[in-house]
Amino acid sequence: SIKGNKAGETIITVKASEGEEYAPREITIKIIVIPKTLEITWSNIGPFTYNGEEQSPIASVTNEVSGETIDLKVTTGINAGMHTAIASIVGEEDTESNYKLINNTISFMILQRDITISAESDSKVYDGTKLENKNHKVILGSLVSGDSVEAAITGSRTDVGISENVLHSVIIRDANGVDQTNNYNVSKVNGTLTVRAKESVDFETRHLKKLTYEPKISAADPLGDAASSALGLGPAGASLYGRRWPPRLVNQCRRTR
């Protein structure tokens, strides 16, 4: 018997044995070994979100020849957008040629990374100079490690009032300075600039000392100095229309007080 253990075409020449009078001297035989078909199974097909690293679906096969192990490699994608993953066999050349892969390509998506960036807000008391703040901050989402934001902010205010601190544009770069903005879905938020009126007198009512009028009362003046003066009365015992203040009235005034 004649065997072939590699996919492809093999030519074998067979010579007739001595003494076989009518047999041909030589016979040529062509043997064709067809590659075994393997179907790729895909998993973890996405969609993925941009993370600055290579990403792809996972390819696997299960019906290889007994005793052989098939290792696969898959093309990957990094940036946001549509990509095509292609699976292929890695290893010895014979292994690759002995198999034919089907369903070995698949499309997958890498989504932009969501992020919200805001211009900083600021405030001060009016002093005749411009209030500006060119700073920014990430308020939702996150940057990939090594990426940083360049923000163009135009806002200023001098007079008393409130105005927007406008975040006009954003550029995101990686650690090598390469623009990665297209890999992000950026939402921009404006800040506010507030100039408050300057107080004319720095005065707080809690610093006031409470003053209470406390009239002096005596038996000689039962209504108090101010009241007696207002009524045109003199001290107790003085006459009013020719009459003197009796002690009983003096005591009654005390109880009323």
Side-chain angles (χ1 to χ4, degrees), residues 34 100 125-126 147 155 188 191 193 201 253:
I34 299 173
K100 178 183 178 181
V125 174
Y126 173 77
D147 288 359
K188 301 190 293 291
L193 298 173
V201 178
C253 288

Side-chain angles (χ1 to χ4, degrees), residues 14 33 51 54 61 75 83 95 116 122 136 159 178 184 199 214 216 229 233 248:
V14 180
V33 178
N51 63 5
E54 294 183 352
V61 292
T75 56
H83 299 270
T95 303
T116 302
D122 208 345
H136 62 272
D159 298 330
V178 178
Y184 289 85
E199 298 179 5
E214 297 178 356
K216 295 180 180 179
S229 176
L233 303 176
R248 178 174 54 81

Side-chain angles (χ1 to χ4, degrees), residues 75-201:
T75 56
T76 60
I78 296 178
N79 295 323
M82 286 297 301
H83 299 270
T84 299
I86 303 173
S88 58
I89 297 173
V90 295
E92 297 180 1
E93 183 178 348
D94 289 343
T95 303
E96 292 185 59
S97 62
N98 286 338
Y99 293 94
K100 178 183 178 181
L101 300 179
I102 61 173
N103 190 36
N104 68 321
T105 64
I106 190 172
S107 295
F108 67 97
M109 171 71 77
I110 297 179
L111 302 174
Q112 291 177 314
R113 190 179 188 88
D114 292 332
I115 191 169
T116 302
I117 300 172
S118 173
E120 290 277 13
S121 296
D122 208 345
S123 66
K124 71 171 184 177
V125 174
Y126 173 77
D127 62 3
T129 64
K130 287 183 178 180
L131 172 63
E132 295 180 321
N133 193 322
K134 304 299 183 183
N135 297 321
H136 62 272
K137 59 184 177 182
V138 175
I139 60 175
L140 283 175
S142 62
L143 293 165
V144 167
S145 178
D147 288 359
S148 59
V149 175
E150 297 175 5
I153 299 173
T154 58
S156 67
R157 186 164 191 91
T158 302
D159 298 330
V160 173
I162 301 174
S163 59
E164 287 191 320
N165 199 24
V166 181
L167 176 58
H168 279 288
S169 62
V170 167
I171 297 176
I172 301 176
R173 299 186 186 277
D174 62 21
N176 297 318
V178 178
D179 189 343
Q180 301 292 345
T181 309
N182 289 336
N183 287 318
Y184 289 85
N185 177 33
V186 180
S187 297
K188 301 190 293 291
V189 177
N190 295 334
T192 58
L193 298 173
T194 305
V195 177
R196 303 187 304 275
K198 185 175 182 179
E199 298 179 5
S200 57
V201 178

